[in-house]
Every structure is written in C-alpha cells, then in structure tokens.
PDB file of all heavy atoms in Angstrom:
ATOM      1  N   LEU F   1     122.012  79.486  40.412  1.00 84.00           N
ATOM      2  CA  LEU F   1     122.142  80.836  39.810  1.00 84.00           C
ATOM      3  C   LEU F   1     121.040  81.121  38.810  1.00 84.00           C
ATOM      4  O   LEU F   1     120.663  82.263  38.661  1.00 84.00           O
ATOM      5  CB  LEU F   1     123.492  81.004  39.138  1.00 84.00           C
ATOM      6  CG  LEU F   1     124.703  80.952  40.073  1.00 84.00           C
ATOM      7  CD1 LEU F   1     125.992  80.962  39.246  1.00 84.00           C
ATOM      8  CD2 LEU F   1     124.692  82.095  41.053  1.00 84.00           C
ATOM      9  N   ALA F   2     120.496  80.114  38.182  1.00 88.00           N
ATOM     10  CA  ALA F   2     119.459  80.300  37.158  1.00 88.00           C
ATOM     11  C   ALA F   2     118.209  80.941  37.766  1.00 88.00           C
ATOM     12  O   ALA F   2     117.455  81.612  37.039  1.00 88.00           O
ATOM     13  CB  ALA F   2     119.071  78.948  36.552  1.00 88.00           C
ATOM     14  N   GLY F   3     118.020  80.798  39.067  1.00 89.00           N
ATOM     15  CA  GLY F   3     116.829  81.397  39.740  1.00 89.00           C
ATOM     16  C   GLY F   3     117.015  82.817  40.174  1.00 89.00           C
ATOM     17  O   GLY F   3     116.060  83.466  40.599  1.00 89.00           O
ATOM     18  N   LEU F   4     118.208  83.385  40.066  1.00 88.00           N
ATOM     19  CA  LEU F   4     118.452  84.750  40.534  1.00 88.00           C
ATOM     20  C   LEU F   4     117.800  85.741  39.578  1.00 88.00           C
ATOM     21  O   LEU F   4     117.864  85.590  38.365  1.00 88.00           O
ATOM     22  CB  LEU F   4     119.939  84.990  40.643  1.00 88.00           C
ATOM     23  CG  LEU F   4     120.705  84.177  41.671  1.00 88.00           C
ATOM     24  CD1 LEU F   4     122.212  84.483  41.595  1.00 88.00           C
ATOM     25  CD2 LEU F   4     120.165  84.453  43.077  1.00 88.00           C
ATOM     26  N   PRO F   5     117.191  86.796  40.138  1.00 91.00           N
ATOM     27  CA  PRO F   5     116.556  87.820  39.278  1.00 91.00           C
ATOM     28  C   PRO F   5     117.497  88.392  38.244  1.00 91.00           C
ATOM     29  O   PRO F   5     117.070  88.639  37.076  1.00 91.00           O
ATOM     30  CB  PRO F   5     116.086  88.885  40.298  1.00 91.00           C
ATOM     31  CG  PRO F   5     115.977  88.132  41.562  1.00 91.00           C
ATOM     32  CD  PRO F   5     117.033  87.065  41.544  1.00 91.00           C
ATOM     33  N   ALA F   6     118.724  88.640  38.557  1.00 85.00           N
ATOM     34  CA  ALA F   6     119.657  89.216  37.571  1.00 85.00           C
ATOM     35  C   ALA F   6     119.903  88.278  36.412  1.00 85.00           C
ATOM     36  O   ALA F   6     120.007  88.722  35.254  1.00 85.00           O
ATOM     37  CB  ALA F   6     121.005  89.586  38.224  1.00 85.00           C
ATOM     38  N   VAL F   7     119.959  86.997  36.696  1.00 86.00           N
ATOM     39  CA  VAL F   7     120.147  86.000  35.647  1.00 86.00           C
ATOM     40  C   VAL F   7     118.870  85.892  34.802  1.00 86.00           C
ATOM     41  O   VAL F   7     118.939  85.874  33.552  1.00 86.00           O
ATOM     42  CB  VAL F   7     120.575  84.661  36.238  1.00 86.00           C
ATOM     43  CG1 VAL F   7     120.630  83.586  35.168  1.00 86.00           C
ATOM     44  CG2 VAL F   7     121.930  84.764  36.951  1.00 86.00           C
ATOM     45  N   GLN F   8     117.733  85.830  35.467  1.00 89.00           N
ATOM     46  CA  GLN F   8     116.458  85.757  34.701  1.00 89.00           C
ATOM     47  C   GLN F   8     116.229  86.978  33.827  1.00 89.00           C
ATOM     48  O   GLN F   8     115.781  86.857  32.705  1.00 89.00           O
ATOM     49  CB  GLN F   8     115.304  85.582  35.695  1.00 89.00           C
ATOM     50  CG  GLN F   8     115.348  84.231  36.363  1.00 89.00           C
ATOM     51  CD  GLN F   8     114.277  84.058  37.421  1.00 89.00           C
ATOM     52  OE1 GLN F   8     113.518  84.956  37.735  1.00 89.00           O
ATOM     53  NE2 GLN F   8     114.139  82.835  37.928  1.00 89.00           N
ATOM     54  N   ALA F   9     116.626  88.148  34.301  1.00 91.00           N
ATOM     55  CA  ALA F   9     116.524  89.351  33.469  1.00 91.00           C
ATOM     56  C   ALA F   9     117.453  89.281  32.272  1.00 91.00           C
ATOM     57  O   ALA F   9     117.067  89.709  31.190  1.00 91.00           O
ATOM     58  CB  ALA F   9     116.824  90.624  34.343  1.00 91.00           C
ATOM     59  N   ALA F  10     118.635  88.811  32.506  1.00 87.00           N
ATOM     60  CA  ALA F  10     119.610  88.704  31.383  1.00 87.00           C
ATOM     61  C   ALA F  10     119.064  87.737  30.338  1.00 87.00           C
ATOM     62  O   ALA F  10     119.148  87.949  29.118  1.00 87.00           O
ATOM     63  CB  ALA F  10     120.947  88.258  31.877  1.00 87.00           C
ATOM     64  N   VAL F  11     118.488  86.603  30.775  1.00 86.00           N
ATOM     65  CA  VAL F  11     117.929  85.628  29.858  1.00 86.00           C
ATOM     66  C   VAL F  11     116.785  86.270  29.066  1.00 86.00           C
ATOM     67  O   VAL F  11     116.692  86.125  27.849  1.00 86.00           O
ATOM     68  CB  VAL F  11     117.434  84.365  30.602  1.00 86.00           C
ATOM     69  CG1 VAL F  11     116.607  83.455  29.688  1.00 86.00           C
ATOM     70  CG2 VAL F  11     118.642  83.604  31.142  1.00 86.00           C
ATOM     71  N   ALA F  12     115.918  86.997  29.758  1.00 89.00           N
ATOM     72  CA  ALA F  12     114.788  87.632  29.094  1.00 89.00           C
ATOM     73  C   ALA F  12     115.229  88.618  28.004  1.00 89.00           C
ATOM     74  O   ALA F  12     114.498  88.780  27.007  1.00 89.00           O
ATOM     75  CB  ALA F  12     113.896  88.331  30.128  1.00 89.00           C
ATOM     76  N   GLU F  13     116.362  89.232  28.183  1.00 90.00           N
ATOM     77  CA  GLU F  13     116.853  90.224  27.239  1.00 90.00           C
ATOM     78  C   GLU F  13     117.898  89.618  26.326  1.00 90.00           C
ATOM     79  O   GLU F  13     118.567  90.329  25.569  1.00 90.00           O
ATOM     80  CB  GLU F  13     117.411  91.401  28.009  1.00 90.00           C
ATOM     81  CG  GLU F  13     116.385  92.167  28.804  1.00 90.00           C
ATOM     82  CD  GLU F  13     116.949  93.349  29.543  1.00 90.00           C
ATOM     83  OE1 GLU F  13     117.970  93.937  29.062  1.00 90.00           O
ATOM     84  OE2 GLU F  13     116.437  93.675  30.625  1.00 90.00           O
ATOM     85  N   ALA F  14     118.062  88.273  26.358  1.00 85.00           N
ATOM     86  CA  ALA F  14     119.036  87.547  25.533  1.00 85.00           C
ATOM     87  C   ALA F  14     120.462  88.050  25.710  1.00 85.00           C
ATOM     88  O   ALA F  14     121.205  88.217  24.752  1.00 85.00           O
ATOM     89  CB  ALA F  14     118.607  87.598  24.054  1.00 85.00           C
ATOM     90  N   ILE F  15     120.790  88.359  26.972  1.00 84.00           N
ATOM     91  CA  ILE F  15     122.151  88.848  27.278  1.00 84.00           C
ATOM     92  C   ILE F  15     122.916  87.656  27.847  1.00 84.00           C
ATOM     93  O   ILE F  15     122.470  86.966  28.770  1.00 84.00           O
ATOM     94  CB  ILE F  15     122.130  89.975  28.329  1.00 84.00           C
ATOM     95  CG1 ILE F  15     121.386  91.145  27.746  1.00 84.00           C
ATOM     96  CG2 ILE F  15     123.522  90.347  28.777  1.00 84.00           C
ATOM     97  CD1 ILE F  15     121.084  92.238  28.784  1.00 84.00           C
ATOM     98  N   ASP F  16     124.113  87.364  27.299  1.00 79.00           N
ATOM     99  CA  ASP F  16     124.923  86.304  27.830  1.00 79.00           C
ATOM    100  C   ASP F  16     125.717  86.844  29.029  1.00 79.00           C
ATOM    101  O   ASP F  16     126.302  87.935  28.971  1.00 79.00           O
ATOM    102  CB  ASP F  16     125.950  85.844  26.756  1.00 79.00           C
ATOM    103  CG  ASP F  16     125.313  84.990  25.726  1.00 79.00           C
ATOM    104  OD1 ASP F  16     124.295  84.360  25.980  1.00 79.00           O
ATOM    105  OD2 ASP F  16     125.868  84.934  24.585  1.00 79.00           O
ATOM    106  N   LEU F  17     125.681  86.091  30.097  1.00 73.00           N
ATOM    107  CA  LEU F  17     126.435  86.486  31.298  1.00 73.00           C
ATOM    108  C   LEU F  17     127.762  85.695  31.299  1.00 73.00           C
ATOM    109  O   LEU F  17     127.766  84.487  31.308  1.00 73.00           O
ATOM    110  CB  LEU F  17     125.670  86.128  32.584  1.00 73.00           C
ATOM    111  CG  LEU F  17     124.385  86.962  32.789  1.00 73.00           C
ATOM    112  CD1 LEU F  17     123.643  86.445  34.000  1.00 73.00           C
ATOM    113  CD2 LEU F  17     124.741  88.408  32.989  1.00 73.00           C
ATOM    114  N   GLU F  18     128.854  86.406  31.264  1.00 72.00           N
ATOM    115  CA  GLU F  18     130.110  85.755  31.329  1.00 72.00           C
ATOM    116  C   GLU F  18     131.168  86.730  31.810  1.00 72.00           C
ATOM    117  O   GLU F  18     130.950  87.929  31.825  1.00 72.00           O
ATOM    118  CB  GLU F  18     130.504  85.225  29.946  1.00 72.00           C
ATOM    119  CG  GLU F  18     130.542  86.247  28.845  1.00 72.00           C
ATOM    120  CD  GLU F  18     130.829  85.682  27.493  1.00 72.00           C
ATOM    121  OE1 GLU F  18     129.917  85.159  26.851  1.00 72.00           O
ATOM    122  OE2 GLU F  18     132.014  85.749  27.112  1.00 72.00           O
ATOM    123  N   GLY F  19     132.269  86.219  32.260  1.00 65.00           N
ATOM    124  CA  GLY F  19     133.384  87.035  32.638  1.00 65.00           C
ATOM    125  C   GLY F  19     133.038  88.096  33.663  1.00 65.00           C
ATOM    126  O   GLY F  19     132.395  87.821  34.656  1.00 65.00           O
ATOM    127  N   GLU F  20     133.432  89.311  33.385  1.00 68.00           N
ATOM    128  CA  GLU F  20     133.258  90.423  34.319  1.00 68.00           C
ATOM    129  C   GLU F  20     131.814  90.712  34.568  1.00 68.00           C
ATOM    130  O   GLU F  20     131.425  91.118  35.648  1.00 68.00           O
ATOM    131  CB  GLU F  20     133.975  91.664  33.805  1.00 68.00           C
ATOM    132  CG  GLU F  20     135.506  91.547  33.888  1.00 68.00           C
ATOM    133  CD  GLU F  20     136.164  92.828  33.421  1.00 68.00           C
ATOM    134  OE1 GLU F  20     135.587  93.900  33.585  1.00 68.00           O
ATOM    135  OE2 GLU F  20     137.286  92.726  32.944  1.00 68.00           O
ATOM    136  N   GLN F  21     130.927  90.537  33.593  1.00 67.00           N
ATOM    137  CA  GLN F  21     129.515  90.796  33.800  1.00 67.00           C
ATOM    138  C   GLN F  21     128.959  89.875  34.898  1.00 67.00           C
ATOM    139  O   GLN F  21     128.183  90.304  35.756  1.00 67.00           O
ATOM    140  CB  GLN F  21     128.735  90.538  32.513  1.00 67.00           C
ATOM    141  CG  GLN F  21     128.963  91.601  31.468  1.00 67.00           C
ATOM    142  CD  GLN F  21     128.202  91.231  30.184  1.00 67.00           C
ATOM    143  OE1 GLN F  21     128.052  90.098  29.824  1.00 67.00           O
ATOM    144  NE2 GLN F  21     127.683  92.229  29.554  1.00 67.00           N
ATOM    145  N   ALA F  22     129.384  88.622  34.877  1.00 70.00           N
ATOM    146  CA  ALA F  22     128.888  87.663  35.899  1.00 70.00           C
ATOM    147  C   ALA F  22     129.414  88.047  37.300  1.00 70.00           C
ATOM    148  O   ALA F  22     128.743  87.846  38.254  1.00 70.00           O
ATOM    149  CB  ALA F  22     129.297  86.237  35.521  1.00 70.00           C
ATOM    150  N   LEU F  23     130.621  88.589  37.353  1.00 71.00           N
ATOM    151  CA  LEU F  23     131.191  88.972  38.635  1.00 71.00           C
ATOM    152  C   LEU F  23     130.390  90.068  39.280  1.00 71.00           C
ATOM    153  O   LEU F  23     130.318  90.231  40.467  1.00 71.00           O
ATOM    154  CB  LEU F  23     132.651  89.394  38.493  1.00 71.00           C
ATOM    155  CG  LEU F  23     133.629  88.273  38.112  1.00 71.00           C
ATOM    156  CD1 LEU F  23     135.019  88.864  37.858  1.00 71.00           C
ATOM    157  CD2 LEU F  23     133.673  87.191  39.149  1.00 71.00           C
ATOM    158  N   ASN F  24     129.746  90.930  38.462  1.00 79.00           N
ATOM    159  CA  ASN F  24     128.948  92.017  38.976  1.00 79.00           C
ATOM    160  C   ASN F  24     127.719  91.525  39.746  1.00 79.00           C
ATOM    161  O   ASN F  24     127.182  92.231  40.591  1.00 79.00           O
ATOM    162  CB  ASN F  24     128.494  92.965  37.877  1.00 79.00           C
ATOM    163  CG  ASN F  24     129.628  93.807  37.342  1.00 79.00           C
ATOM    164  OD1 ASN F  24     130.620  94.022  38.059  1.00 79.00           O
ATOM    165  ND2 ASN F  24     129.503  94.234  36.107  1.00 79.00           N
ATOM    166  N   ILE F  25     127.275  90.294  39.467  1.00 81.00           N
ATOM    167  CA  ILE F  25     126.112  89.743  40.182  1.00 81.00           C
ATOM    168  C   ILE F  25     126.421  89.683  41.678  1.00 81.00           C
ATOM    169  O   ILE F  25     125.595  90.070  42.482  1.00 81.00           O
ATOM    170  CB  ILE F  25     125.750  88.345  39.617  1.00 81.00           C
ATOM    171  CG1 ILE F  25     125.244  88.501  38.169  1.00 81.00           C
ATOM    172  CG2 ILE F  25     124.690  87.710  40.487  1.00 81.00           C
ATOM    173  CD1 ILE F  25     125.065  87.165  37.454  1.00 81.00           C
ATOM    174  N   ALA F  26     127.589  89.176  42.013  1.00 78.00           N
ATOM    175  CA  ALA F  26     127.976  89.062  43.431  1.00 78.00           C
ATOM    176  C   ALA F  26     128.066  90.487  44.049  1.00 78.00           C
ATOM    177  O   ALA F  26     127.607  90.683  45.203  1.00 78.00           O
ATOM    178  CB  ALA F  26     129.289  88.323  43.588  1.00 78.00           C
ATOM    179  N   TRP F  27     128.660  91.396  43.353  1.00 80.00           N
ATOM    180  CA  TRP F  27     128.794  92.783  43.858  1.00 80.00           C
ATOM    181  C   TRP F  27     127.432  93.385  44.107  1.00 80.00           C
ATOM    182  O   TRP F  27     127.190  93.911  45.186  1.00 80.00           O
ATOM    183  CB  TRP F  27     129.555  93.597  42.816  1.00 80.00           C
ATOM    184  CG  TRP F  27     129.841  95.012  43.263  1.00 80.00           C
ATOM    185  CD1 TRP F  27     128.991  96.063  43.236  1.00 80.00           C
ATOM    186  CD2 TRP F  27     131.061  95.478  43.809  1.00 80.00           C
ATOM    187  NE1 TRP F  27     129.607  97.193  43.711  1.00 80.00           N
ATOM    188  CE2 TRP F  27     130.865  96.848  44.079  1.00 80.00           C
ATOM    189  CE3 TRP F  27     132.291  94.913  44.092  1.00 80.00           C
ATOM    190  CZ2 TRP F  27     131.895  97.645  44.625  1.00 80.00           C
ATOM    191  CZ3 TRP F  27     133.289  95.696  44.622  1.00 80.00           C
ATOM    192  CH2 TRP F  27     133.085  97.066  44.895  1.00 80.00           C
ATOM    193  N   ASP F  28     126.543  93.260  43.143  1.00 87.00           N
ATOM    194  CA  ASP F  28     125.210  93.827  43.288  1.00 87.00           C
ATOM    195  C   ASP F  28     124.391  93.165  44.396  1.00 87.00           C
ATOM    196  O   ASP F  28     123.659  93.782  45.145  1.00 87.00           O
ATOM    197  CB  ASP F  28     124.445  93.743  41.960  1.00 87.00           C
ATOM    198  CG  ASP F  28     125.074  94.665  40.898  1.00 87.00           C
ATOM    199  OD1 ASP F  28     125.828  95.577  41.260  1.00 87.00           O
ATOM    200  OD2 ASP F  28     124.756  94.421  39.696  1.00 87.00           O
ATOM    201  N   ALA F  29     124.539  91.809  44.465  1.00 87.00           N
ATOM    202  CA  ALA F  29     123.822  91.062  45.514  1.00 87.00           C
ATOM    203  C   ALA F  29     124.283  91.474  46.918  1.00 87.00           C
ATOM    204  O   ALA F  29     123.428  91.635  47.830  1.00 87.00           O
ATOM    205  CB  ALA F  29     124.045  89.567  45.318  1.00 87.00           C
ATOM    206  N   HIS F  30     125.565  91.702  47.065  1.00 85.00           N
ATOM    207  CA  HIS F  30     126.069  92.160  48.372  1.00 85.00           C
ATOM    208  C   HIS F  30     125.488  93.534  48.721  1.00 85.00           C
ATOM    209  O   HIS F  30     125.028  93.736  49.848  1.00 85.00           O
ATOM    210  CB  HIS F  30     127.588  92.200  48.366  1.00 85.00           C
ATOM    211  CG  HIS F  30     128.169  92.762  49.611  1.00 85.00           C
ATOM    212  ND1 HIS F  30     128.331  92.017  50.748  1.00 85.00           N
ATOM    213  CD2 HIS F  30     128.590  94.033  49.948  1.00 85.00           C
ATOM    214  CE1 HIS F  30     128.828  92.794  51.716  1.00 85.00           C
ATOM    215  NE2 HIS F  30     128.973  94.030  51.224  1.00 85.00           N
ATOM    216  N   GLU F  31     125.517  94.403  47.775  1.00 90.00           N
ATOM    217  CA  GLU F  31     125.005  95.759  48.013  1.00 90.00           C
ATOM    218  C   GLU F  31     123.508  95.724  48.345  1.00 90.00           C
ATOM    219  O   GLU F  31     123.033  96.431  49.243  1.00 90.00           O
ATOM    220  CB  GLU F  31     125.255  96.639  46.810  1.00 90.00           C
ATOM    221  CG  GLU F  31     124.933  98.100  47.086  1.00 90.00           C
ATOM    222  CD  GLU F  31     125.406  99.030  45.985  1.00 90.00           C
ATOM    223  OE1 GLU F  31     125.995  98.556  44.997  1.00 90.00           O
ATOM    224  OE2 GLU F  31     125.146 100.219  46.093  1.00 90.00           O
ATOM    225  N   THR F  32     122.749  94.887  47.633  1.00 92.00           N
ATOM    226  CA  THR F  32     121.308  94.763  47.895  1.00 92.00           C
ATOM    227  C   THR F  32     121.040  94.179  49.298  1.00 92.00           C
ATOM    228  O   THR F  32     120.201  94.643  49.992  1.00 92.00           O
ATOM    229  CB  THR F  32     120.642  93.875  46.818  1.00 92.00           C
ATOM    230  OG1 THR F  32     120.843  94.521  45.537  1.00 92.00           O
ATOM    231  CG2 THR F  32     119.205  93.696  47.086  1.00 92.00           C
ATOM    232  N   ALA F  33     121.859  93.177  49.644  1.00 92.00           N
ATOM    233  CA  ALA F  33     121.640  92.492  50.932  1.00 92.00           C
ATOM    234  C   ALA F  33     122.077  93.290  52.134  1.00 92.00           C
ATOM    235  O   ALA F  33     121.466  93.226  53.201  1.00 92.00           O
ATOM    236  CB  ALA F  33     122.356  91.118  50.942  1.00 92.00           C
ATOM    237  N   THR F  34     123.146  94.100  51.959  1.00 92.00           N
ATOM    238  CA  THR F  34     123.723  94.787  53.117  1.00 92.00           C
ATOM    239  C   THR F  34     123.521  96.285  53.095  1.00 92.00           C
ATOM    240  O   THR F  34     123.710  96.973  54.089  1.00 92.00           O
ATOM    241  CB  THR F  34     125.234  94.510  53.202  1.00 92.00           C
ATOM    242  OG1 THR F  34     125.884  95.108  52.089  1.00 92.00           O
ATOM    243  CG2 THR F  34     125.526  93.044  53.286  1.00 92.00           C
ATOM    244  N   GLY F  35     123.265  96.830  51.901  1.00 93.00           N
ATOM    245  CA  GLY F  35     123.135  98.282  51.771  1.00 93.00           C
ATOM    246  C   GLY F  35     124.472  98.978  51.708  1.00 93.00           C
ATOM    247  O   GLY F  35     124.546 100.211  51.666  1.00 93.00           O
TER     248      GLY F  35
END
C-alpha cells in the first residue's frame, strides 16, 4: 500500500490514513480501474 499514489500523496501532505479515510482508497481505486 505504501506505493499507491493515494498513500504517497497523503504522506506528502502529512495526512494520516486511518479508518474511513483508508476505506476510500479501495472505493477510488475501483472507480479509477473500472470507470
């Protein structure tokens, strides 16, 4: 997961990913991959 763009962007902005925010990664990845 550390290599995912969403995680790298969060690290760059010093945003902690946890709980519901982390669940959005899967949602967004699905939408990006499938449209």
Side-chain angles (χ1 to χ4, degrees):
L1 296 172
L4 295 177
V7 174
Q8 292 177 353
V11 168
E13 296 180 30
I15 297 170
D16 287 335
L17 293 175
E18 56 183 81
E20 289 183 29
Q21 290 176 323
L23 293 175
N24 288 336
I25 294 170
W27 184 279
D28 294 342
H30 174 81
E31 188 171 358
T32 298
T34 66

